């Protein structure tokens, strides 16, 4: 599985996984970018989907956000780390039930950085550190930002780093229209980040065997109140591709 970024829209990943689990489709490895890294990490850690849904649907931005003086980011990314550290049933990559990788980007070079060892929560923090909005994450001698800058849908990562031969990609930003006004730093930064992300997402989709596209029209990146609607759309998107996924799982 290659799970895309998408902030609040990442809730839809849960519904996609529910459909596959109900159909007994085996998942052998997961790579996630940004919001996809959150869902992917929790699932790879062995947390039941019903519990992942409970934790994330009930989460509020105040559980994660910690505003800071605007120097390298408006919001401290440490809040993401603390949130993940509090909910993950296991803390290290070596203890995960399913091989998993979180994708971030090097702030200096914009190159993809694959995180698959050490602290899972810290890796997710780096993967979610949207430039300007969140402070970058310093890890392994690098300054890291949101993985969407380099790899919005980490298809190549799950193939090349985790050894997957068959890849189902999930794009939770399909048909998204980010915003009509650019009247704040947060809106402008988000728009620029999503422009970069949408370009590399189109390229990575071509490398997937099956792409599940979740219709994101009318759902903003920060609208946690649309969780049930996102679950419904994620379920429909997965069911629409289920025949292709079954054939993929059955092929040698």
């Amino acid at each position: 599985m290659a799970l895309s970024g998408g902030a609040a829209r990442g809730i839809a990943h849960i519904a996609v996984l529910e459909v596959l689990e109900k159909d007994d489709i085996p998942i052998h490895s997961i790579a996630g970018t940004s919001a996809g890294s959150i869902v992917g990490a929790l699932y790879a850690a062995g947390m039941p989907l019903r519990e992942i849904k409970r934790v994330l649907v009930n989460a509020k931005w105040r559980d994660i956000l910690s505003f800071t003086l605007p120097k390298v980011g408006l919001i401290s990314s440490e809040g993401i780390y603390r949130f993940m550290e509090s909910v993950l049933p296991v803390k290290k990559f070596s203890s995960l039930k399913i091989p998993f990788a979180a994708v971030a980007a090097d702030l200096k070079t914009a190159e993809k950085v694959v995180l698959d060892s050490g602290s899972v929560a810290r890796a997710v923090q780096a993967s979610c550190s949207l430039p300007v909005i969140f402070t970058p994450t310093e890890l392994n001698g690098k300054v890291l930002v949101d993985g969407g800058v380099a790899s919005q849908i980490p298809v190549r990562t799950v193939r090349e780093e985790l050894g997957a031969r068959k890849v189902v990609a999930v794009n939770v930003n399909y048909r998204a229209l980010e915003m009509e006004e650019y009247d704040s730093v947060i809106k402008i930064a988000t728009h620029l980040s999503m422009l970069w992300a949408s370009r590399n997402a189109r390229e990575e989709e071509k490398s997937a065997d099956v792409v599940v596209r979740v219709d994101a029209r009318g759902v903003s990146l920060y609208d946690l109140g649309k969780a049930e609607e996102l679950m419904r759309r994620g379920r429909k998107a997965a069911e629409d591709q289920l025949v292709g996924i079954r054939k993929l799982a059955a092929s040698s």
Side-chain angles (χ1 to χ4, degrees):
M1 299 295 295
L3 307 182
S4 79
R9 296 171 189 153
I11 292 290
H13 287 309
I14 302 171
V16 173
L17 291 169
E18 281 182 342
V19 170
L20 302 192
E21 196 172 88
K22 183 178 179 181
D23 209 64
D24 294 323
I25 303 295
I27 297 173
H28 300 295
S29 56
I30 303 171
T33 292
S34 199
S37 76
I38 294 176
V39 176
L42 294 173
Y43 192 71
M47 184 180 285
L49 284 169
R50 64 180 180 279
E51 181 66 8
I52 296 175
K53 180 181 177 181
R54 185 192 67 78
V55 168
L56 297 185
V57 168
N58 291 327
K60 307 297 182 185
W61 286 119
R62 64 174 177 269
D63 299 331
I64 301 171
L65 304 186
S66 177
F67 285 88
T68 183
L69 292 176
K71 184 178 179 182
V72 292
L74 298 175
I75 303 166
S76 172
S77 63
E78 281 294 313
I80 301 169
Y81 169 76
R82 290 194 297 269
F83 174 77
M84 291 301 296
E85 189 73 1
S86 69
V87 298
L88 276 164
V90 299
K91 311 302 182 184
K92 300 294 183 183
F93 277 88
S94 57
S95 301
L96 295 175
K97 307 294 185 183
I98 300 172
F100 167 72
V103 175
D106 188 317
L107 180 59
K108 284 187 177 181
T109 65
E111 292 180 351
K112 178 178 72 174
V113 177
V114 177
L115 303 169
D116 58 3
S117 63
S119 166
V120 178
R122 196 64 77 187
V124 171
Q125 174 190 353
S127 185
C128 294
S129 295
L130 194 68
V132 180
I133 297 177
F134 287 101
T135 54
T137 300
E138 295 186 19
L139 188 61
N140 302 331
K142 295 181 178 180
V143 179
L144 304 177
V145 294
D146 191 289
V149 171
S151 178
Q152 174 74 332
I153 311 176
V155 176
R156 295 189 184 100
T157 296
V158 79
R159 284 197 194 278
E160 297 167 6
E161 305 295 332
L162 300 180
R165 293 185 295 109
K166 309 167 189 177
V167 179
V168 176
V170 185
N171 181 0
V172 298
N173 303 297
Y174 184 57
R175 293 179 176 172
L177 189 63
E178 298 310 333
M179 58 196 68
E180 296 180 357
E181 296 182 350
Y182 309 102
D183 52 4
S184 72
V185 171
I186 289 178
K187 287 183 179 180
I188 292 170
T190 301
H191 179 67
L192 287 173
S193 295
M194 291 308 295
L195 282 179
W196 297 329
S198 63
R199 288 175 182 173
N200 69 59
R202 288 193 292 271
E203 287 303 309
E204 293 227 51
E205 277 190 350
K206 297 174 185 177
S207 301
D209 296 293
V210 176
V211 181
V212 176
R213 298 181 177 94
V214 180
D215 188 346
R217 286 177 296 181
V219 182
S220 78
L221 287 163
Y222 305 110
D223 195 350
L224 292 175
K226 295 276 181 66
E228 289 302 326
E229 174 63 14
L230 284 163
M231 290 286 293
R232 186 190 68 78
R233 295 187 190 188
R235 194 173 298 113
K236 181 181 185 305
E239 289 171 347
D240 287 346
Q241 296 297 325
L242 197 52
V243 171
I245 295 172
R246 285 172 180 158
K247 288 180 180 178
L248 183 66
S251 64
S252 57

